[in-house]
Amino acid sequence: MAGGFNLEQQHGKGRVRVSRVWRKAGEGGADVIVEWNVSISLLSDCLEAYTDGDNSSIVATDTMKNTVYAKAKECTEVESPESFAIRLAKHFTSFYPKVTTAIISIVEKPWEQVVVDGRPHVHGFKLGSEKHTTEVTLKKFDALRLISGIQGLSLLKTTQSGFEGFIRDRYTLLPETKERMLATEVTAFWRFQFESISAIPTKSKFFNERYRDVKKVIVDTFFGPPNSGVYSPSVQNTLYLMAVAVLNRFPDIASIQLSMPNIHFLPVNLSSKDNPNLVKFADDVYLPTDEPHGTIEATLSRPLSKL
């Protein structure tokens, strides 16, 4: 209570950009580089800062920014964004007596080794597409909530997709079809079962490997076998099958949230009132458009799982 009112507060530092290079730490003696965009929120017992102007219990946001750089220097081995977020959260909740909870969010920019003359370059990188994300919430006494994710995973297949049997009314103009292109940009967040830091596997590459494995399951389920594919009766059904595949494959994941906008590729046919058959493109020329687009989202969780 503050002055007879309920006060909920937190403060932090957003969009702290940091890059860390590990020299010759990759396969074949290659350099490894990561670029992280870090956001920090601290919940702390500092009501007097709000009610009385007493800042003695406040961690300055500039200090938070500098801590990110200092802790990045401490990473002597290649580290995942999850592990770095935990490193920061442990520091803030243990070093500052007034801090009760730390929430650390990280988005990793996808720098990838370039290939020159068929070989990975030892210090050359190019920017990829989808981003690896994490959000770690750590309370002072080791209660943990850990979410990983992927953003900007663009997927498209030129066939094996349809949409039929939906509600029709006087506003419905969309024709039913058994044959269309399917394109989307997947955003996925999955929450791990780990409820304390001690429950996390000690394998140093665990989170990076799990990120790659979850992404592979999502992609493989979307496309189906390489020579035949798999038919998608709707984005909703494909989303559900992707979520089921992830939970079935990884028992340490408690829930997964997927967002899959339906990015439309509209068949182009040029015609006019006087010449209705001017040009027929036979479903091989399309108008790509992402505005407006359908939005399809769902969360799948295990029974009794906390979302």
Side-chain angles (χ1 to χ4, degrees):
M1 296 287 290
F5 301 99
N6 291 322
L7 173 63
E8 296 181 4
Q9 54 77 31
Q10 63 187 56
H11 76 292
K13 196 76 166 180
R15 297 181 176 271
V16 181
R17 295 180 62 181
V18 60
S19 182
R20 179 65 158 94
V21 177
W22 291 274
R23 305 292 180 185
K24 299 182 179 180
E27 294 183 8
D31 289 351
V32 176
I33 183 172
V34 296
E35 181 181 340
W36 292 322
N37 193 320
V38 182
S39 294
I40 302 162
S41 290
L42 300 183
L43 283 66
S44 59
D45 183 12
C46 61
L47 293 183
E48 61 274 13
Y50 292 85
T51 58
D52 304 325
D54 178 357
N55 297 329
S56 60
S57 59
I58 288 288
V59 182
T61 64
D62 187 69
T63 302
M64 298 181 201
K65 176 199 67 169
N66 296 336
T67 301
V68 171
Y69 303 134
K71 292 299 176 182
K73 177 64 176 177
E74 290 180 6
C75 301
T76 56
E77 297 182 352
V78 176
E79 195 149 304
S80 67
E82 289 90 348
S83 296
F84 188 63
I86 291 170
R87 180 187 293 269
L88 288 173
K90 286 174 63 177
H91 170 79
F92 288 118
T93 55
S94 62
F95 191 76
Y96 298 103
K98 294 285 189 176
V99 173
T100 58
T101 302
I103 304 170
I104 312 295
S105 300
I106 298 179
V107 178
E108 180 175 295
K109 213 166 186 177
W111 288 107
E112 303 170 349
Q113 272 185 288
V114 297
V115 176
V116 178
D117 294 333
R119 298 174 58 188
H121 199 283
V122 293
H123 59 251
F125 296 84
K126 65 180 179 67
L127 190 61
S129 54
E130 63 270 5
K131 297 175 181 178
H132 183 172
T133 70
T134 190
E135 181 180 279
V136 168
T137 302
L138 181 66
K139 295 183 182 296
K140 204 168 195 68
F141 300 104
D142 202 32
L144 176 70
R145 178 181 173 89
L146 175 54
I147 297 172
S148 294
I150 186 168
Q151 294 179 344
L153 177 59
S154 296
L155 304 176
L156 178 150
K157 57 183 186 179
T158 58
T159 187
Q160 288 279 56
S161 174
F163 191 50
E164 302 175 278
F166 48 88
I167 294 173
R168 304 199 70 87
D169 57 38
R170 59 178 175 165
Y171 301 116
T172 304
L173 300 177
L174 183 69
E176 298 190 2
T177 181
K178 295 181 183 296
E179 176 58 45
R180 64 173 183 172
M181 292 178 65
L182 177 58
T184 189
E185 186 176 283
V186 178
T187 298
F189 300 109
W190 52 94
R191 186 177 65 81
F192 287 96
Q193 303 261 33
F194 313 130
E195 295 185 350
S196 66
I197 292 176
S198 60
I200 296 173
T202 57
K203 185 178 180 182
S204 62
K205 297 181 179 180
F206 171 79
F207 287 113
N208 282 336
E209 290 178 354
R210 180 53 49 85
Y211 170 79
R212 289 191 292 267
D213 290 344
V214 170
K215 181 171 71 170
K216 185 178 187 303
V217 169
I218 288 173
V219 171
D220 290 355
T221 306
F222 179 88
F223 290 113
N227 293 327
S228 60
V230 61
Y231 184 72
S232 170
S234 66
V235 179
Q236 286 86 343
N237 181 250
T238 297
L239 181 154
Y240 172 74
L241 294 177
M242 290 160 63
V244 168
V246 169
L247 293 187
N248 284 341
R249 175 68 176 81
F250 305 108
D252 53 19
I253 292 179
S255 62
I256 181 168
Q257 177 183 357
L258 285 162
S259 174
M260 293 174 57
N262 193 359
I263 300 173
H264 303 293
F265 280 69
L266 306 176
V268 173
N269 287 306
L270 300 180
S271 61
S272 67
K273 183 176 180 180
D274 297 329
N275 190 351
N277 299 314
L278 181 63
V279 178
K280 289 287 187 180
F281 284 99
D283 290 339
D284 55 9
V285 176
Y286 296 84
L287 170 64
T289 177
D290 57 3
E291 294 181 358
H293 62 244
T295 57
I296 294 90
E297 300 179 0
T299 300
L300 195 67
S301 57
R302 302 183 189 279
L304 303 180
S305 174
K306 301 175 185 177
L307 294 180

